[in-house]
Amino acid sequence: MSLSGVQMALDVAAVAAECRTVGEVQSQLLPALAAATGAEIAVYHQIALGPELEEYGVPWPDHDSFATVLEPYPAVMHESPLIRHFVRHPGPGVIGVSELVSRREWRENAVYRESLRHLGFGDQLALVFSLNDGNGHAITLGRQGRAFSRREGDLLRLVEPHVRAAVRRSLEAPDAYRVVHTRRQRVRWAVRSGPAIAAAGTAPALTGRELEVLALVAGGLSNQQIGRRLGLAPRTVDKHLENAFGKLGAHSRVEAVVNLRVRMAHVL
């Protein structure tokens, strides 16, 4: 990364260090990330992975029309290239739509046509991260015009620990903040307050190793093949699967993969 890129990352890290509330994440950190990456829109997502999945979006800029524009999104979100990517490769990471599909394919995608084009998401860059709290967390950036570059993705990777720390700290604050609430395919404005980490959901988080094992299960590998791929004993693979089954409420390999995909589909 160039010297200017490193300076941008340092500037974002400095802003993140000052955030103490979700309102400050919205008004300070999200525009700082947008400025550093050339984005026009930034959204922080928090996803409750309990018995009933819910998503709370904190957008910047905070337009009243945001929830209305997103009304068609729940019905078509399974077509999102980003969601499909994280279903196949679950876990934290950074990826852009332009890395996954061509510009023409994106313009023809139902998610773009029905919803995101109205918000100015000509390209979309996602940072998915974990707070080990049983919930999903992500920041998505969008802009019209040119696609996001590898440099901008690298910048997100560089600042991810600072963003994660700022979000964790902010979710513990008692201050109220406005969110776009998606539940049962209904999208509306709502207000949240209090420690969201404790309130958002109760499902225990999958470990990085459990996610790796499940990703290979989804690829059709046997436990022995997974063990060879990851350098684990078969009994260790069995134990990781047993733990993952319990966290996902699953009783079979297929059910575990399906339940994981349902969870990941609500991360973006």
Side-chain angles (χ1 to χ4, degrees), residues 241-265:
L241 280 176
E242 179 184 338
N243 292 338
F245 283 10
K247 293 175 180 180
L248 292 167
H251 299 89
S252 70
R253 297 162 73 88
V254 172
E255 187 178 5
V257 171
V258 169
N259 289 356
L260 177 62
R261 286 175 173 172
V262 169
R263 287 192 179 189
M264 293 306 299

Side-chain angles (χ1 to χ4, degrees), residues 207-225:
T207 67
R209 182 63 85 184
E210 288 162 1
L211 286 168
E212 285 183 309
V213 170
L214 285 171
L216 294 174
V217 168
L221 275 65
S222 67
N223 284 13
Q224 287 186 334
Q225 291 171 320

Side-chain angles (χ1 to χ4, degrees), residues 61-187:
D62 184 1
H63 295 306
D64 286 337
S65 62
F66 206 92
T68 301
V69 172
L70 283 179
E71 283 181 0
Y73 180 76
V76 296
M77 66 182 183
H78 60 282
E79 298 289 339
S80 166
L82 292 177
I83 289 177
R84 288 183 172 183
H85 170 81
F86 282 106
V87 165
R88 291 193 299 267
H89 308 283
V94 175
I95 194 72
V97 164
S98 57
E99 298 177 66
L100 301 171
V101 296
S102 69
R103 188 176 184 85
R104 178 185 61 80
E105 289 170 328
W106 175 232
R107 298 285 180 175
E108 294 174 354
N109 188 281
V111 170
Y112 177 80
R113 292 196 325 268
E114 300 296 326
S115 182
L116 295 190
R117 71 184 178 91
H118 301 293
L119 291 173
F121 279 80
D123 192 17
Q124 190 177 19
L125 186 64
L127 165 63
V128 177
F129 56 96
S130 173
L131 299 181
N132 294 319
D133 62 344
N135 305 300
H137 300 271
I139 288 177
T140 55
L141 303 166
R143 71 181 179 205
Q144 292 286 17
R146 63 188 177 88
F148 287 104
S149 66
R150 179 174 295 182
R151 182 198 68 83
E152 289 153 349
D154 288 342
L155 186 145
L156 281 189
R157 294 181 184 91
L158 195 59
V159 302
E160 186 274 337
H162 306 281
V163 171
R164 176 164 31 89
V167 170
R168 171 171 285 282
R169 187 168 55 246
S170 298
L171 291 177
E172 295 172 348
D175 304 62
Y177 53 96
R178 195 164 81 138
V179 297
V180 178
H181 183 200
T182 302
R183 181 184 182 189
R184 295 178 180 173
Q185 297 202 352
R186 178 187 177 190
V187 183

